[in-house]
Amino acid sequence: MSAVDLLIWDLDGTLIDSRRDIAHCVNWTLNDMGLASIAHEHIYRYVGHGVRTLIQGAVGEAHGHDYQSAMKIFDSHYRAHLLDHTRLYAGMAEVLDFYRDKKMAIITNKPQDYTDPIIEGLNIGSYFSAILGREACKQMKPHPQPLQKVMDKLSMRQDQTVMIGDTEIDIEAGKRAGVRT
């Protein structure tokens, strides 16, 4: 086995705990639409699959509510509150600092315009050679395309790369890209 020279991190649930801000904003959206709030644990099941899946899962197609309206409400509120409670997991700053001499990247299914202010607000951007949000590729995780794009950009091979994540989506993406997970 060759040395790992590139660490690709998932964002939500791996580097940061953003669940509380996301859940608050989903419930804000539901309340604004005249729907009842739902338990945070229910909302957490949709985190990591992209905002579209999150809103569809929370609002539910059975309600017949306008998905685009829900997205606009969520987007407006989340942009204003994406760092209210979002934090690096305990010890993660030390982990990032320990691997500072390695190339590191973030690949997330979160939109880039949410990702960038979070990375900046948590002051961790200097650790990463690449940060890819949802729009960076035609396909998002679990498709291997985002991982392949990062490896190409940073001139790294599969055997030099590891994907670090908290869900089956991350592990599947890594395996499909032929990297360690």
Side-chain angles (χ1 to χ4, degrees):
M1 288 183 47
S2 63
V4 171
D5 294 315
L6 172 61
L7 290 84
I8 300 176
W9 300 88
D10 173 51
L11 184 62
D12 296 281
T14 303
L15 291 172
I16 65 170
D17 184 354
S18 56
R19 296 177 311 163
R20 191 168 164 197
D21 285 334
I22 291 169
H24 282 296
C25 292
V26 166
N27 277 328
W28 177 278
T29 301
L30 293 171
N31 294 159
D32 197 42
M33 295 179 74
L35 299 170
S37 296
I38 56 179
H40 284 194
E41 292 301 322
H42 179 77
I43 296 168
Y44 296 162
R45 293 188 302 201
Y46 297 106
V47 174
H49 298 272
V51 70
R52 190 169 291 136
T53 301
L54 172 71
I55 296 301
Q56 287 173 337
V59 173
E61 294 177 25
H63 290 292
H65 289 283
D66 182 18
Y67 164 75
Q68 292 302 326
S69 294
M71 283 297 298
K72 286 179 185 176
I73 295 165
F74 177 85
D75 180 69
S76 174
H77 196 65
Y78 190 55
R79 285 178 190 280
H81 298 279
L82 49 75
L83 282 167
D84 287 356
H85 304 284
T86 295
R87 300 288 179 265
L88 283 173
Y89 280 110
M92 192 51 66
E94 294 81 5
V95 170
L96 292 174
D97 199 51
F98 181 82
Y99 289 111
R100 179 177 283 289
D101 294 336
K102 300 281 186 182
K103 288 186 181 179
M104 292 193 281
I106 292 174
I107 297 176
T108 178
N109 287 342
K110 182 186 284 293
Q112 195 76 47
D113 56 349
Y114 297 159
T115 300
D116 290 341
I118 290 171
I119 298 300
E120 183 179 322
L122 297 176
N123 198 30
I124 59 171
S126 65
Y127 290 106
F128 302 101
S129 301
I131 301 170
L132 273 66
R134 160 68 189 107
E135 306 83 358
C137 298
K138 288 184 181 182
Q139 302 290 328
M140 57 187 220
K141 296 180 297 179
H143 198 279
Q145 185 183 38
L147 281 81
Q148 293 163 340
K149 183 174 183 170
V150 166
M151 287 186 289
D152 289 346
K153 178 181 178 176
L154 301 178
S155 300
M156 290 293 184
R157 299 183 318 263
Q158 294 165 306
D159 65 334
Q160 296 173 294
T161 304
V162 64
M163 175 71 208
I164 304 163
D166 66 308
T167 68
E168 70 281 350
I169 292 168
D170 303 310
I171 303 308
E172 183 178 344
K175 288 182 178 186
R176 289 168 91 185
V179 305
R180 289 177 261 186
T181 57

